[in-house]
Amino acid sequence: MLRYLIIDVDGTLTDGGIYYDAHGNELKKFCTKDGTGLSIARAAGIKLVIMTGRECEATRKRMEELQVDFLYQGIKDKISFLKSWILENDVKKEELGYIGDDINDLAPMKLCGFIGCPADACKEVKMISNYVSTINGGHGAVRNVIENYLKEHHLWEQLVENTYGNTGV
């Protein structure tokens, strides 16, 4: 069972677009379905680790709302960062999952026991993924990956009921 789930932001939790307002502030659109998936992952005892190469206030705000356990922004060298993080936190490969979408996620993904990606991830990421979502990044792909993983472990239905009440799933 996973203890930690690392999730990329751009192209995974978002559609990968970079939007600016008239004042130059970066804007991002996050899918509420992904937020639900993150809540259920937390209910399963999985710690959420957001790791992104960009710095963005919108990301900080949304991750604060979602009560993620770790937020690391501006990580240009994801593989070196993750290797150090794994040592510092004494995490085994099989306890670590990763959801990402692009070339910069490939090397760190290979350090993880479970790999998931959105439907529109690059082909190299799809080739090494345990699960490729049927949904594009920014449209609920993260929730879909989490749901699939938890269903494989026969946990999804009980976690949904415990988190949101009797929904009849």
Side-chain angles (χ1 to χ4, degrees), residues 33-48:
K33 290 177 182 170
D34 287 332
T36 301
L38 295 178
S39 293
I40 294 171
R42 279 191 18 254
I46 299 170
K47 293 193 184 296
L48 303 172

Side-chain angles (χ1 to χ4, degrees), residues 129-149:
S129 290
N130 301 98
Y131 179 74
V132 177
S133 177
T134 57
I135 302 169
N136 286 346
H139 297 278
V142 169
R143 188 267 188 70
N144 180 250
V145 171
I146 291 168
E147 180 176 347
N148 180 268
Y149 176 83

